[in-house]
Amino acid sequence: MNPTQNRIRLFEMLAGLLATQLIVFGLAFYILNEPARIAAAQTDILNVQLDEAMTLYAENCSVCHGLAGEGIGANPALNNPALQTMAYEDLAKTIERGRFNTAMPAWSKEDGGPLSDYQISELVNLIQSGDWNATQDRVVNLGLAPLVPFTTEPDPALFAELANLPDGATLQTAVTLFAANCVACHGADGLGTSIAPALNDPAVREKTAEELNRTVALGSAGTLMAGWSNALTPEEISALVALVQRWDEVPAGILPAPDAPIPTTEESIALGGQLFSQNCSRCHGPEGQGTQRAPALNVKGFLTDTSDVAIQQIVANGVPGTAMPAWGDRMTESDIQAIVGFIRQWEATAPEVATPTRGGGGGPPWLRNNTTTTTGQGQGAGQGQGAGQGQGKTQQPSASAAWWQTFDWRILLLVFGALSVSFTLIFMGFEALRRAPKK
Ligand code: HEC
Ligand code: HEC
Ligand code: HEC
């Protein structure tokens, strides 16, 4: 063989070797990578499903099962470990068909409900592996939050007076229960709200005890009035019925309006900020510090004395006879609540005394620090129990896992592959040089 043929042979051999190496390492990399790729794709699908399910939950289920699946009255909690481990089929069937003779309606199209099988499977995933805190945020962001029963404290002096009435102890029990369970819907002193009728009302007093008892125990199908028989004892329910029937004897003012903070999320506060600068800042100043046209909102006195509900009412109804417009006709309830949440987060840094802006000054620097404060406000209402952690999120290796369980073997493969290919190339270069015909 002459040297040229010799070199060609060598190049052929080495090129073959190189190609084999590339194929072997490529294949091995693909095989090792495949499970991770499939897992990532599955996680993506699951996340999309969970995201859609949170909206479905907010629109269809939160009314009865609560902001974060915590349950309301006799409507059971869904953030419950028993449901997480329940067979998929059984859980899907409960949602598809509802529970006969209870307030739980059938949801599948097949059974006359509004949801497709796919949507129901998404809801099953949410209940079994979703994140209830994120769901609570979704419900709040969609403005579907206010239906959570929030509570109030009975006025202590008037509460003590009740004891002087005949069977006062029963009325006291009932007032306490009403303050904890019913006031959010049925209103201060039982005078009703936009979502539920007055119970402190002559027409209701005329109903028989049996009739009222049945409504409280079993609820009123197809309305927000849940049955309370799982949450309250028969004695407690009769006490409440006695209160409804004897409300004309109960002193007015005993059950003040609930003063629950409006739940907020990062998104709702951001929306509130945007709406505030578009609609309110020209009169109240960009930082709520007030102008010649309207008083400061960003002051301690105002914020401590005025509850969220009260601010919401002022904004919705305006202040008649002043320049303060009624925003209720122009904004949705959830927009107004977002603004209230935005105003409330000033409280932590609000000055005692306002320094109104003149013109577009912007105010002293401490007024601009507001955005960095977080008040953690509003999370109180029905916190999710942290149920459904783990599965929905990617499987994070726990800190105690051995290193070889968490080590990504693909790195080793890549290093070996790269090394062996470079060695082949270097070898090829040297051989070519060595065999080069000497001049
Ligand atoms: C009108 C009120 C109401 C609405 C709306 C509602 N539920 Fe229910 N749900 C109930 C009641 C009441 C029960 C308890 C039935 C019983 O006693 O077995 C229940 C039970 C359940 C159960 C079984 C819980 C268990 O522990 O066995 C699941 C799951 C459930 N609901 C899911 C949903 C989903 C998902 C939605 C929204 C698509 C929804 N519910 C909407 C009232 C409601
Ligand atoms: C989530 C809101 C909500 C909560 C909480 C609630 N209710 Fe109701 N309640 C309603 C609605 C809505 C109706 C009207 C139902 C209808 O139109 O049939 C109603 C109706 C009633 C009625 C029947 C009134 C009538 O005219 O016959 C009684 C009695 C009653 N509720 C008592 C209670 C008691 C007691 C509690 C607390 C243990 C309570 N409710 C909690 C929403 C609620
Ligand atoms: C055209 C000017 C104007 C605009 C725009 C305006 N306000 Fe007002 N606002 C007023 C005036 C004037 C008052 C004081 C009314 C009074 O004398 O009680 C007021 C009062 C208030 C109060 C009660 C303050 C207190 O100390 O009692 C709140 C809360 C409030 N406004 C919020 C808002 C919000 C939120 C917006 C935007 C959605 C807004 N306002 C837009 C003029 C305005």
Side-chain angles (χ1 to χ4, degrees):
M1 257 195 271
N2 68 39
T4 319
Q5 280 175 322
N6 200 342
R7 269 167 68 203
I8 291 174
R9 274 292 297 284
L10 176 81
F11 271 113
E12 280 170 356
M13 265 167 56
L14 290 176
L17 184 62
L18 203 63
T20 318
Q21 280 175 348
L22 286 176
I23 290 170
V24 167
F25 281 110
L27 203 65
F29 184 80
Y30 178 78
I31 290 169
L32 273 184
N33 197 37
E34 193 55 8
R37 198 187 60 79
I38 292 176
Q42 281 171 341
T43 312
D44 283 351
I45 294 172
L46 186 64
N47 285 342
V48 171
Q49 287 186 338
L50 288 176
D51 191 76
E52 289 173 356
M54 290 196 285
T55 302
L56 287 173
Y57 179 86
E59 289 170 348
N60 298 291
C61 324
S62 64
V63 150
C64 288
H65 290 288
L67 260 186
E70 76 278 16
I72 300 177
N75 302 320
L78 300 183
N79 64 357
N80 143 6
L83 291 179
Q84 284 180 343
T85 53
M86 191 170 177
Y88 180 95
E89 284 303 316
D90 295 343
L91 189 50
K93 253 185 216 120
T94 302
I95 302 173
E96 279 161 20
R97 301 180 187 169
R99 289 265 170 89
F100 185 64
N101 251 339
T102 73
M104 174 66 185
W107 290 96
S108 75
K109 292 211 164 101
E110 214 170 295
D111 293 277
L115 303 182
S116 69
D117 289 350
Y118 183 70
Q119 289 173 318
I120 288 176
S121 72
E122 291 182 321
L123 283 166
V124 173
N125 280 340
L126 176 72
I127 294 172
Q128 297 205 310
S129 55
D131 177 342
W132 286 110
N133 288 328
T135 306
Q136 165 164 335
D137 285 356
R138 179 67 53 87
V139 177
V140 172
N141 289 342
L142 292 174
L144 296 168
L147 297 178
V148 182
F150 34 67
T151 59
T152 191
E153 291 290 326
D155 180 273
L158 297 175
F159 187 78
E161 265 179 44
L162 269 191
N164 305 328
L165 294 175
D167 200 11
T170 303
L171 291 180
Q172 282 183 324
T173 309
V175 163
T176 310
L177 288 167
F178 194 92
N181 298 298
C182 323
V183 72
C185 290
H186 288 290
D189 282 341
L191 290 169
T193 65
S194 57
I195 55 175
L199 299 181
N200 178 2
D201 180 288
V204 180
R205 277 196 280 279
E206 276 171 19
K207 302 200 173 182
T208 65
E210 290 77 59
E211 216 178 324
L212 293 169
N213 216 303
R214 201 173 329 116
T215 308
V216 180
L218 304 177
S220 182
T223 74
L224 286 179
M225 180 61 193
W228 290 84
S229 57
N230 293 346
L232 304 176
T233 65
E235 294 73 39
E236 289 173 328
I237 292 177
S238 338
L240 282 163
V241 170
L243 171 68
V244 171
Q245 291 189 309
R246 296 176 58 194
W247 215 308
D248 49 346
E249 302 168 41
V250 174
I254 192 166
L255 280 161
D259 177 16
I262 287 169
T264 56
T265 64
E266 254 170 58
E267 289 95 326
S268 74
I269 290 178
L271 172 68
Q274 202 187 328
L275 291 169
F276 186 90
S277 44
Q278 284 162 3
N279 299 296
C280 323
S281 57
R282 71 197 146 93
C283 290
H284 290 285
E287 315 270 354
Q289 68 278 51
T291 66
Q292 289 108 317
R293 259 166 287 158
L297 304 176
N298 184 356
V299 274
K300 271 258 149 40
F302 172 70
L303 289 170
T304 4
D305 291 351
T306 322
S307 72
D308 282 1
V309 176
I311 299 181
Q312 185 181 347
Q313 261 155 16
I314 297 171
V315 179
N317 303 330
V319 184
T322 75
M324 173 64 187
W327 295 91
D329 320 327
R330 305 171 219 191
M331 285 186 193
T332 64
E333 200 172 312
S334 64
D335 284 348
I336 294 179
Q337 290 184 343
I339 297 180
V340 175
F342 174 73
I343 293 176
R344 178 61 65 194
Q345 47 97 47
W346 285 327
E347 187 168 6
T349 50
E352 301 292 339
V353 184
T355 320
T357 30
R358 289 161 202 286
W366 45 260
L367 278 175
R368 296 194 210 112
N369 286 338
N370 292 323
T371 43
T372 56
T373 57
T374 48
T375 56
Q377 223 240 72
Q379 306 299 0
Q383 272 283 11
Q385 313 297 8
Q389 284 173 355
Q391 292 181 51
K393 300 166 195 153
T394 46
Q395 277 99 19
Q396 292 287 350
S398 73
S400 60
W403 67 269
W404 64 84
Q405 286 174 312
T406 58
F407 186 75
D408 190 344
W409 294 98
R410 288 171 297 175
I411 295 175
L412 208 62
L413 191 74
L414 277 180
V415 170
F416 272 128
L419 276 179
S420 85
V421 169
S422 359
F423 277 135
T424 312
L425 285 172
I426 291 167
F427 179 69
M428 227 164 123
F430 273 126
E431 274 299 300
L433 278 181
R434 199 169 61 78
R435 298 184 189 201
K438 308 240 161 44
K439 294 243 167 77

